[in-house]
Amino acid sequence: MGNIIKFNLNYFSEDNEPEGQEYWEKVKYDFIIKYGNDEHKASALIAKELGLSDRILELVNCVDSGSIELVRMNDDFSQKICIYADNRVTPYGITSIEERSLEAKERYKDHSHAFDEERREFFMENIKEMEKQIFSRCSIEPGNINDVSSKKYVKELIDFSI
């Protein structure tokens, strides 16, 4: 929810339409003024502002690269799924965790959130282990989750009310 704070709006310039980049820069600025420079903290504040349950706030808070090892080691599959899902999407759709990692590496290369290679490898080891944990309890494979298979659920979520 707070990701606009970290976006380089030049990177996705075609996605700034029809409002235009100036409009989205103002939205970004307004978010930073209201919620601060940390998109993770902003997402937590927005969730709280929406009056979401404590459990949802907990799940929003766990979606942070700094939580990856703790979540991998715990037994809370809701947390695992939240972090895993966050690491399967790009601005253009659903992808593998490997492709998402490469996309993020490129997109955030000049950003303060960029991982060095050691941290990226640590993160990938943990997210790959979480993927194994999650899919050991599923009847599908990670590759079965894609833009096509999720299309009907996305349509349902468009009108979902909290």
Side-chain angles (χ1 to χ4, degrees):
M1 293 178 287
N3 278 353
I4 193 168
I5 289 170
K6 68 179 177 182
F7 281 174
N8 175 347
L9 295 168
N10 293 318
Y11 194 84
F12 301 107
S13 57
E14 68 277 5
D15 292 333
N16 292 325
E17 300 308 326
E19 293 87 353
Q21 185 161 341
E22 187 175 313
Y23 170 85
W24 289 110
E25 290 289 354
K26 176 155 180 13
V27 171
K28 178 179 176 176
Y29 174 79
D30 290 345
F31 265 64
I32 292 169
I33 294 300
K34 186 170 184 177
Y35 301 109
N37 285 316
D38 184 314
E39 77 283 351
H40 177 72
K41 288 179 183 173
S43 292
L45 288 170
I46 293 166
K48 191 171 188 171
E49 194 175 274
L50 290 170
L52 302 180
S53 71
D54 288 344
R55 176 63 172 153
I56 298 299
L57 294 176
E58 178 187 318
L59 294 173
V60 168
N61 277 317
C62 84
V63 181
D64 181 32
S65 61
S67 302
I68 191 79
E69 187 175 30
L70 291 173
V71 173
R72 177 189 54 83
M73 294 185 326
N74 77 29
D75 292 328
D76 188 334
F77 274 79
S78 294
Q79 288 185 354
K80 292 175 193 297
I81 290 167
C82 287
I83 289 181
Y84 178 74
D86 188 57
N87 284 279
R88 286 286 310 269
V89 294
T90 72
Y92 297 107
I94 300 170
T95 189
S96 69
I97 54 175
E98 291 84 1
E99 289 170 347
R100 168 67 168 89
S101 176
L102 293 172
E103 182 273 334
K105 181 179 179 180
E106 176 63 24
R107 186 163 30 125
Y108 299 122
K109 67 182 171 193
D110 296 324
H111 194 280
S112 61
H113 289 82
F115 287 178
D116 61 24
E117 203 53 38
E118 182 179 338
R119 187 163 176 223
R120 189 166 105 64
E121 286 178 24
F122 175 79
F123 185 86
M124 287 302 293
E125 287 172 15
N126 281 281
I127 197 74
K128 285 179 183 180
E129 180 57 33
M130 262 194 262
E131 182 176 64
K132 288 177 188 173
Q133 292 170 350
I134 292 166
F135 286 93
S136 72
R137 296 178 176 216
C138 297
S139 60
I140 62 171
E141 297 294 320
N144 296 128
I145 300 172
N146 55 53
D147 289 331
V148 174
S149 68
S150 66
K151 199 172 199 169
K152 68 180 178 181
Y153 302 107
V154 171
K155 285 181 182 177
E156 290 175 24
L157 289 171
I158 288 174
D159 295 321
F160 183 80
S161 179
I162 296 175

